Amino acid sequence: MNKMVVNDALEFIKTTFHGDYSGHDYFHTLRVYKMAAKIAEQENANLTIVQLAALLHDVDDIKLSPETHENKDRAVGFLNKHGISKTTVKAICDVIDEVSFRGADSVIPETIEGKCVQDADRLDAMGAVGIARAFAYGGNHNRVIHDPGIKPTLNMNADQYRNHVSTTINHFYEKLFQLKDLINTDTAKEIAEQRENYMRNFISEFLDEWDGIR
């Protein structure tokens, strides 16, 4: 893929996510881009579609830009500006459509390119970075860190998940601990296993300290 398009996309997302403190910042997209490309090389996916979809996967996210979400206005505008073919634009938008976690309504992407980008995005919600992002998002949205009286809500559909307000610790049970079993590619599964183990050890330590055991 033309390096100029990638460089322009990097500048585009840097501007788009400037001032974001919710964990969906420029560096999140950069990590997803790098991981998606790594997975794509192992899985023999179309690298152009994977790279551009990864770079643009959050620019029209419903949580961040609800007004552009439905038609992917920002992503499509960027791609059209750079002369990307209509077929490729559609393929990229299809991948972006399938990326997000939607509770019980989460989908398995139809293409290997979609699976690569979805796996990369989910891996970034796991492990040490995933823990940091969970607390950044919680603080950004005025969420309580932990309240033992508030139990996790499981098996939510897409609307319930999107509108649900809970604690940051509950978020591990409501989403993060479910991700390992939703990973698509063999390349990502091994990484997910390690990252989930790290998160579970963290939560175990956290709850022990919360209860004064340690």
Side-chain angles (χ1 to χ4, degrees):
M1 184 173 57
N2 192 317
K3 287 185 178 180
M4 186 183 74
V5 179
V6 171
N7 289 336
D8 284 356
L10 290 169
E11 288 302 314
F12 177 59
I13 60 173
K14 186 178 289 186
T15 300
T16 300
F17 297 120
H18 177 73
D20 183 280
Y21 304 105
S22 72
H24 294 85
D25 55 8
Y26 164 74
F27 293 104
H28 161 66
T29 296
L30 188 61
R31 289 190 302 271
V32 172
Y33 160 68
K34 290 178 178 178
M35 180 61 74
K38 175 181 176 180
I39 297 170
E41 289 174 357
Q42 294 297 317
E43 301 291 335
N44 297 314
N46 183 308
L47 197 57
T48 295
I49 292 173
V50 167
Q51 288 180 316
L52 287 175
L55 286 166
L56 300 171
H57 81 279
D58 265 348
V59 298
D60 297 295
D61 185 276
I62 194 168
K63 298 185 297 295
L64 309 173
S65 184
E67 68 279 5
T68 70
H69 171 72
E70 185 174 355
N71 295 317
K72 308 286 182 292
D73 295 331
R74 288 176 173 173
V76 171
F78 175 87
L79 295 169
N80 287 341
K81 178 182 176 182
H82 286 79
I84 305 300
S85 71
K86 289 183 179 180
T87 301
T88 302
V89 170
K90 183 180 185 307
I92 291 167
C93 288
D94 287 345
V95 169
I96 293 171
D97 262 334
E98 297 173 329
V99 168
S100 294
F101 179 82
R102 301 167 190 167
D105 291 333
S106 297
V107 300
I108 298 173
E110 294 186 2
T111 64
I112 187 60
E113 290 75 26
K115 291 175 182 177
C116 292
V117 178
Q118 188 185 74
D119 282 359
D121 187 50
R122 287 177 174 174
L123 286 174
D124 204 58
M126 303 176 72
V129 167
I131 292 169
R133 290 183 64 217
F135 285 100
Y137 186 87
N140 188 256
H141 288 75
N142 300 314
R143 293 189 174 184
V144 174
I145 293 176
H146 180 48
D147 182 341
I150 303 174
K151 302 303 179 185
T153 303
L154 305 178
N155 301 314
M156 290 180 280
N157 63 31
D159 287 338
Q160 290 170 330
Y161 177 76
R162 187 179 303 120
N163 297 309
H164 181 62
V165 177
S166 188
T167 70
T168 296
I169 294 301
N170 280 353
H171 183 63
F172 285 81
Y173 298 94
E174 293 168 348
K175 176 183 177 181
L176 305 188
F177 289 154
Q178 299 180 40
L179 295 179
K180 178 176 70 70
D181 293 332
L182 298 175
I183 294 293
N184 304 288
T185 63
D186 290 338
T187 304
K189 285 178 181 177
E190 185 175 348
I191 302 171
E193 187 85 32
Q194 297 169 352
R195 294 192 182 189
E196 178 172 280
N197 288 339
Y198 189 93
M199 291 192 299
R200 289 194 179 275
N201 288 335
F202 170 82
I203 290 297
S204 177
E205 177 70 19
F206 177 95
L207 293 176
D208 281 351
E209 292 182 14
W210 186 276
D211 292 334
I213 296 174
R214 293 181 187 270

